[in-house]
């Protein structure tokens, strides 16, 4: 595995931890505020980039 792929894995895990934190804050109903929705959307965009890097490095 390349260093770039390894870094993408760790960055992806950090982003998932951020999303998990939001879900924990809003449990049990998970009704997100506008700010939480915006933060989640940003984290998901960044996560998609990391997944793209992993596909490029490991699958292509």
């Amino acid at each position: 595995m390349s260093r770039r792929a390894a870094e993408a894995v760790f960055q992806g895990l950090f982003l998932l931890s951020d999303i998990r934190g939001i879900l924990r804050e809003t449990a049990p109903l998970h009704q997100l505020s506008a700010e939480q929705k915006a933060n989640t959307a940003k984290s998901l965009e960044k996560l998609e980039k990391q997944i793209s890097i992993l596909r490029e490095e490991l699958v292509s």
Side-chain angles (χ1 to χ4, degrees):
M1 179 182 326
S2 70
R3 179 183 172 114
R4 185 173 182 229
E7 289 178 8
V9 168
F10 284 107
Q11 288 300 317
L13 290 172
F14 292 137
L15 292 163
L16 287 171
S17 292
D18 292 344
I19 294 168
R20 181 178 168 260
I22 292 171
L23 292 174
R24 288 183 71 202
E25 289 174 4
T26 60
L29 300 177
H30 303 299
Q31 294 178 338
L32 281 62
S33 68
E35 181 181 353
Q36 289 168 324
K37 286 180 182 181
N39 289 339
T40 301
K42 287 178 188 176
S43 291
L44 288 171
E45 287 177 25
K46 292 176 182 178
L47 180 59
E48 288 171 350
K49 180 179 178 186
Q50 299 307 313
I51 291 170
S52 175
I53 290 170
L54 288 169
R55 281 193 182 115
E56 182 182 310
E57 292 289 319
L58 300 175
V59 179
S60 298

